[in-house]
Amino acid sequence: MRTLEFIVDKQRIRKNSECDFSGIVAGSENYLEAKFYFSPDWDECSKKVASFWNGDEEHAAFLNENNACVIPHEALTSDKFSVSVIGVSSSYRIGTNRSKVKQEVV
């Protein structure tokens, strides 16, 4: 399994510059995992969901206790996908922008 890392700072998400995003090939299934590192704004969120976008199609996955999830294969069929995150606490809801990830299509 390969892990792609993202930094979530308040409502902005970006690829972790220390993570290798090169050589990702479209069509993976149960291989790519996304891991998120959150700023303290997210500490009260009891539920976090990552949305993976293939064009306008959204494919969501709940984050586990390590703030990670397997990327749904439906999002991995074209030359790029985007990711965003939503968190919910007892008193607020927080969301992010989308971060794009390029893939090779074979």
Side-chain angles (χ1 to χ4, degrees):
M1 182 167 285
R2 180 175 178 182
T3 302
L4 304 178
E5 298 180 352
F6 298 88
I7 307 288
V8 180
D9 185 16
K10 298 177 180 71
Q11 291 189 277
R12 303 296 298 173
I13 185 172
R14 65 180 170 23
K15 294 182 273 191
N16 184 346
S17 61
E18 296 179 13
C19 181
D20 181 11
F21 280 79
S22 66
I24 300 170
V25 177
S28 299
E29 191 168 339
N30 294 319
Y31 173 67
L32 287 179
E33 175 185 63
K35 180 156 178 63
F36 302 88
Y37 297 92
F38 291 93
S39 65
D41 307 66
W42 292 76
D43 288 350
E44 292 182 34
C45 293
S46 58
K47 293 183 181 176
K48 297 174 190 156
V49 177
S51 291
F52 299 92
W53 302 85
N54 185 350
D56 289 333
E57 293 179 18
E58 180 181 15
H59 306 280
F62 281 101
L63 302 189
N64 64 22
E65 63 278 353
N66 297 318
N67 290 319
C69 66
V70 173
I71 300 174
H73 70 276
E74 296 90 348
L76 303 173
T77 60
S78 64
D79 64 340
K80 64 182 172 287
F81 66 92
S82 299
V83 60
S84 61
V85 183
I86 293 174
V88 179
S89 78
S90 60
S91 59
Y92 63 87
R93 179 181 183 270
I94 186 171
T96 68
N97 62 307
R98 293 183 194 177
S99 179
K100 292 182 183 173
V101 178
K102 293 182 181 181
Q103 304 184 101
E104 297 175 33
V105 177
V106 285

